[in-house]
Amino acid sequence: MSHGNHQDRLNESLSALMDGEASELELQRLLKASAGSAEVGERWSRYQLAASVLRREQVAPVDSGLAASISAAIEREEPLSLSGGGGAEAADGLANSRWWRPLSRGAVAATVAFAAILGVQQLQVADSGVQPGGELVAEVERPAQPVVQSSPQPSGFYVPAPTTRSVSTASPRLVPDSQPGVAGQAVIQQMPTPELMRHLNRVMIQHSEQAAHVGSQGMVPFARATYGEQVGM
Amino acid sequence: MRALVDKPASASRWICKANSVLLALFLLVPAAHAQEVDGENGTLEVQQWLGKLARAVTELEYRGLVTFEHAGMLETLQVVHAVRDGEQVERVRYLSGNPRELISHGSGKNCARSSGPMARAALWSRAGQQEVQRAYQFILRGRERIADRDTVVIEARPRDRHRLGLIVNLDQETGLPLKSMLVGAQGRVLERYQFVQLDLSPVQDSDLQPQSADARRIDNNNPCSNSQSRWQLSWLPEGFKAVSIKPLNDGDMLVFSDGLSVFTVFVQRLGPELDFKGRAIRGATVAYMDRMEVDGVSYTVTVVGEIPDTTAQRVAASVAAPG
């Protein structure tokens, strides 16, 4: 059934978007679909909710009707130029708004593009640095999204959220060397053992404290040295 | 949700390419205003600023609030820097996340690079500066306002791929760095340290007291030792020299610097539970671990520093015990 296939593809794309991995094409498809039906938007907020719960964040109950009622309120709102005056002016206003509409659309598109750049930069980081394979790490590496994001507006998908990893992940990210000869193998990030963690923290602290006497960076090395410190070390 | 590993990356690669073009555009705009430090005047100006910086970070009393940001993490901290009996006393306290605090005493003495005085005040001397300029090209990038103060932006652009770049904003009045960013390949900012508030009034003794019970104290009265080590490096990135060699309980610790960047090589006899080959990254700091066998004994080599991971890996591979 082609409809079912389409839906599957959309869901797949949506989940890719959650992971910040959606391609340009998938993005367009999602935007188009979300304009057509509320289902995509609702699914999106369910995904967000699930991710928040996985991250053990405090979750505010999301009223799925909220966005709809806001949209309805906006619909009811009379355009400013029309409410102002009589015929000629109204026509003028209409012409104006017609002229403006593509522009403002462009502005929205620009915002989206900018957000997309941010997203891809994070992707690049993942590409060049680490491919988190361990579930736990993948969870914390992912940018935290605001909890309440039930807006079905396409632009609402792309609020660039800062990556706020919790402090408990102050530990270094580990990337073992890939096996030579195995081309294109995915780098699996492994969870470091406590011994390895302690060793890495210790050498990083010792290095930073030494660096404080050598470089010309003021107190930056001390900030680094203190950063990874953990209670009980 | 899909796993992160098995994504077809072609589309995103295409976007990346488009992005780098955009990014290049962004970078080119300020570059048009940048002053290339080729002329004698520019060089002199940079030298004066670097000298001012070196004095400020050692002699100036200040305290302030700082944001420290890397890999999408933002932390806030409080810093205090004072001079007592000719020695520096410094306190760093994290205001976000786990309570962490460090008090460092007596870092008045500086480590000497074998070629001359290279230290926190590496940039004091003309000779030291010239050496640093062989590894980095310095560019005056104009002015910027940080923490309600006017600053001069200086970029230290590495002349090879073995070190990171640095963009630093110096307080116009005092030369204190109010913002510093470490920049990796493709202009990616790896770490940013930036004041939000600066107070230059003399620091009270009470400001130097720890505010948390488990504050860590370090005493730096003998920060640099020059003991002998059996370990040697067959490859060093140009301009890097040993500044300190220290024996540890379980091995040796060798510190190298090019005047701006620093990395440390640890060679230790550690248990098999630390058998790991690869890198660990935290912000701009990379630690590359390797294992080597000498005379039937297994050693763990760890290279730690604010350097590209390829450099760390190459340095780690070059550690050897001659003879």
Side-chain angles (χ1 to χ4, degrees):
Chain A
M1 217 169 81
S2 73
H3 176 73
N5 280 340
H6 181 63
Q7 197 58 45
D8 284 351
R9 260 213 313 278
L10 275 181
N11 291 345
E12 175 91 345
S13 303
L14 202 61
S15 106
L17 190 64
M18 273 297 291
D19 296 339
E21 302 256 319
S23 71
E24 184 80 354
L25 204 71
E26 286 175 304
L27 215 65
Q28 293 301 334
R29 203 184 298 136
L30 278 172
L31 291 178
K32 211 172 139 196
S34 68
S37 83
E39 150 71 12
V40 178
E42 278 162 20
R43 188 173 284 272
W44 173 252
S45 47
R46 281 202 302 278
Y47 280 4
Q48 291 289 351
L49 198 67
S52 298
V53 170
L54 277 173
R55 282 195 298 267
R56 300 211 182 99
E57 286 171 358
Q58 299 249 321
V59 178
V62 179
D63 176 14
S64 57
L66 183 65
S69 55
I70 292 175
S71 300
I74 291 172
E75 285 292 313
R76 281 197 301 275
E77 193 78 19
E78 281 183 30
L80 245 154
S81 51
L82 285 182
S83 63
E89 217 173 313
D92 200 32
L94 203 68
N96 260 342
S97 70
R98 246 189 229 133
W99 190 78
W100 276 105
R101 210 175 288 150
L103 246 189
S104 58
R105 242 181 236 153
V108 170
T111 327
V112 172
F114 191 63
I117 289 170
L118 284 182
V120 172
Q121 265 181 340
Q122 280 163 355
L123 202 80
Q124 269 178 320
V125 174
D127 272 346
S128 59
V130 183
Q131 293 276 20
E135 254 181 41
L136 199 66
V137 185
E139 270 309 318
V140 293
E141 294 284 341
R142 192 167 305 143
Q145 306 275 358
V147 178
V148 185
Q149 244 191 19
S150 60
S151 160
Q153 301 287 329
S155 58
F157 283 10
Y158 299 105
V159 177
T163 3
T164 45
R165 285 190 280 160
S166 67
V167 179
S168 59
T169 60
S171 46
R173 295 176 297 155
L174 272 195
V175 189
D177 276 357
S178 47
Q179 300 289 320
V182 188
Q185 82 168 7
V187 182
I188 309 291
Q189 178 166 359
Q190 70 183 54
M191 281 308 285
T193 61
E195 292 84 15
L196 192 53
M197 222 63 232
R198 262 200 299 281
H199 170 70
L200 286 169
N201 262 325
R202 200 171 55 220
V203 292
M204 281 188 178
I205 288 174
Q206 280 177 316
H207 157 76
S208 301
E209 285 175 5
Q210 278 291 312
H213 307 288
V214 183
S216 299
Q217 305 170 54
M219 293 176 69
V220 184
F222 284 131
R224 289 191 200 115
T226 320
Y227 180 71
E229 222 174 277
Q230 273 150 18
V231 181
M233 262 193 56
Chain B
M1 280 153 236
R2 285 201 265 176
L4 284 172
V5 230
D6 59 7
K7 286 286 142 58
S10 59
S12 61
R13 225 171 268 143
W14 184 86
I15 303 174
C16 289
K17 206 176 263 175
N19 277 337
S20 13
V21 175
L22 268 178
L23 196 67
L25 279 178
F26 282 125
L27 291 177
L28 279 177
V29 176
H33 298 284
Q35 246 177 293
E36 193 71 22
V37 189
D38 278 337
E40 188 64 21
N41 285 337
T43 313
L44 268 179
E45 198 179 344
V46 165
Q47 279 178 0
Q48 277 163 4
W49 279 116
L50 295 182
K52 212 169 168 180
L53 155 79
R55 276 188 300 279
V57 293
T58 45
E59 294 172 356
L60 202 64
E61 295 222 339
Y62 62 86
R63 62 203 159 127
L65 296 176
V66 170
T67 58
F68 186 46
E69 195 182 354
H70 52 71
M73 292 263 259
L74 177 75
E75 297 255 18
T76 46
L77 37 115
Q78 182 187 37
V79 298
V80 186
H81 183 273
V83 181
R84 294 285 181 273
D85 306 321
E87 286 184 341
Q88 299 178 59
V89 184
E90 289 150 292
R91 187 163 72 85
V92 172
R93 181 169 166 255
Y94 274 80
L95 301 177
S96 55
N98 288 331
R100 288 151 287 172
E101 189 171 5
L102 174 81
I103 297 175
S104 161
H105 271 270
S107 37
K109 299 171 190 75
N110 292 310
C111 303
R113 253 171 48 132
S114 40
S115 64
M118 288 302 282
R120 219 176 186 183
L123 304 166
W124 279 77
S125 73
R126 213 187 150 82
Q129 281 203 11
Q130 277 169 354
E131 248 189 275
V132 176
Q133 293 207 7
R134 270 205 287 280
Y136 301 88
Q137 179 186 21
F138 287 90
I139 299 164
L140 281 173
R141 281 218 169 273
R143 275 148 223 282
E144 195 184 355
R145 187 162 152 269
I146 302 288
D148 198 20
R149 298 178 68 87
D150 290 325
T151 66
V152 178
V153 188
I154 294 178
E155 178 185 350
R157 188 182 290 175
R159 292 189 193 270
D160 58 30
R161 283 178 306 156
H162 305 312
R163 60 206 95 216
L164 300 177
L166 178 73
I167 298 177
V168 64
N169 290 48
L170 302 184
D171 182 36
Q172 194 146 352
E173 188 191 325
T174 62
L176 188 72
L178 296 188
K179 170 174 156 185
S180 55
M181 299 194 290
L182 279 173
V183 185
Q186 288 117 40
R188 203 151 61 84
V189 175
L190 302 174
E191 179 190 276
R192 179 163 66 171
Y193 176 93
Q194 180 173 342
F195 275 88
V196 252
Q197 193 192 68
L198 177 70
D199 181 356
L200 287 169
S201 58
V203 170
Q204 306 296 312
D205 281 349
S206 58
D207 282 334
L208 294 168
Q209 293 307 308
Q211 299 204 0
S212 42
D214 52 359
R216 199 158 57 93
R217 288 170 177 275
I218 51 173
D219 192 343
N220 289 300
N221 273 315
N222 196 8
C224 318
S225 68
N226 269 306
S227 43
Q228 294 295 312
S229 169
R230 66 180 290 207
W231 306 108
Q232 293 200 348
L233 275 68
S234 59
W235 180 79
L236 268 179
E238 211 183 310
F240 276 93
K241 285 179 179 157
V243 276
S244 167
I245 296 169
K246 239 182 187 171
L248 303 170
N249 290 335
D250 46 9
D252 283 341
M253 169 182 180
L254 301 86
V255 187
F256 298 86
S257 172
D258 65 355
L260 278 189
S261 300
V262 187
F263 68 80
T264 308
V265 179
F266 295 84
V267 187
Q268 293 158 290
R269 287 184 66 171
L270 300 172
E273 72 275 8
L274 290 172
D275 191 1
F276 174 78
K277 194 177 159 81
R279 62 188 196 272
I281 304 148
R282 190 167 65 200
T285 309
V286 63
Y288 187 85
M289 281 178 78
D290 207 344
R291 204 83 171 158
M292 73 174 176
E293 199 129 317
V294 177
D295 302 332
V297 183
S298 183
Y299 292 89
T300 303
V301 178
T302 318
V303 179
V304 190
E306 288 70 40
I307 46 175
D309 44 9
T310 46
T311 308
Q313 184 170 359
R314 217 173 139 185
V315 168
S318 82
V319 176

